[in-house]
Amino acid sequence: LQPWEEIYMAPASPGKITQIFVEVGDRVKKGQKLVKMDDTQLLQAKIQLESLRKDFGRLKTLRESGSVAEQQFDQMKTQLEVTEKNVKFLEENNILLAPFDGVITGKFFEDGELYSGAPNTQAGKAAIVTLQQINVLKASINVSEKYFSTLSVGTLVKVVSEVYKGEVFGGEISNIYPTINPLTRSFVVEIKIPNREFKLRPGMYSRVNIKLDETDALVVPAIAVIQQEGTNNRHVFINNNGVAKKVQVQVGQRFDENIEIVSDKLEAGNQLIVAGQAILMDNSKVKVIE
């Protein structure tokens, strides 16, 4: 399982960290303050901007009277626009705000430390804190290419986890990758899993059950099918009034611990021998023990 969204929060340029407002495990809301950087550069830029605005106002008055060359006016205007953008940039990077509701999953600095911009996380990215959205999770699974035309976005699935035995979590297909992996002959499907109660967590292993296709088949426990040594012949034994009867079969698809068998000599209701069958011979006497 993976977080629905994850972001490595960091300013666009290095600087001193004034204050970090959160700790690992804190749940935050969109727009909440996470980190405040040193604002020395920002204050200097604002002072410069105010000075330029005053100079530009005076220059604009002189231009209207024809006392200033057009080139000088355009240069001042460009300088003012660049400074305004610089101030806006510094304001956006002075205080880091949460872009979505989530949980703080990593904190890599303390108040007063210098953020250098060098990669410092397992993902190889630079960050002061990491934020994950986990009220919705996603899972990426590989599906055989033969089902490519049968799946669609919105298809409902079932998700189960070993942590919560017997409990089933609902989900749906949110994205289907458009290409087939030529090595595995499979394609990637992303599953969206609501997690309002926060029971599931990123990093958990889970099983996704998707209803891909239906088929009628005679299936038996795979351990009941015996392969004759040195050949590709397979057979099972059935109990025929206390006598083991050997029946040749062909195998089809496997379904977890069960396997499909094909034989015109078998029918539903036959008593299949699933214990001790490896030491039986055709027409061996058997006794059923309850």
Side-chain angles (χ1 to χ4, degrees), residues 80-100:
L80 177 62
E81 291 174 349
V82 170
T83 305
E84 286 176 339
K85 290 181 179 179
N86 184 46
V87 169
K88 184 179 180 181
F89 171 80
L90 291 172
E91 285 177 336
E92 291 175 348
N93 286 275
N94 181 246
I95 297 180
L96 305 183
L97 305 177
F100 51 79

Side-chain angles (χ1 to χ4, degrees), residues 143 146-147 150-151 210-216 253 255:
V143 181
K146 67 180 180 180
Y147 298 113
T150 65
L151 294 182
I210 307 177
K211 188 176 181 181
L212 296 171
D213 199 1
E214 289 185 356
T215 183
D216 292 326
Q253 296 186 62
F255 305 93

Side-chain angles (χ1 to χ4, degrees), residues 203-222:
M204 282 184 177
Y205 282 91
S206 299
R207 182 183 293 272
V208 177
N209 296 317
I210 307 177
K211 188 176 181 181
L212 296 171
D213 199 1
E214 289 185 356
T215 183
D216 292 326
L218 181 62
V219 295
V220 299

Side-chain angles (χ1 to χ4, degrees), residues 30-44:
K30 181 179 180 180
Q32 183 175 331
K33 290 183 181 180
L34 303 182
V35 180
K36 185 179 188 304
M37 303 296 292
D38 181 77
D39 57 3
T40 302
Q41 273 189 295
L42 175 60
L43 294 175
Q44 290 175 345

Side-chain angles (χ1 to χ4, degrees), residues 226-228 233-240 243-249 263 265-266 273 280-284:
I226 303 170
Q227 183 174 359
Q228 186 176 340
N233 297 330
R234 292 176 172 84
H235 62 271
V236 297
F237 286 101
I238 61 172
N239 177 29
N240 185 19
V243 176
K245 183 179 179 183
K246 182 179 179 180
V247 180
Q248 298 292 333
V249 297
S263 173
K265 296 180 180 179
L266 289 176
I273 300 175
L280 289 178
M281 300 289 289
D282 196 19
N283 296 320
S284 294

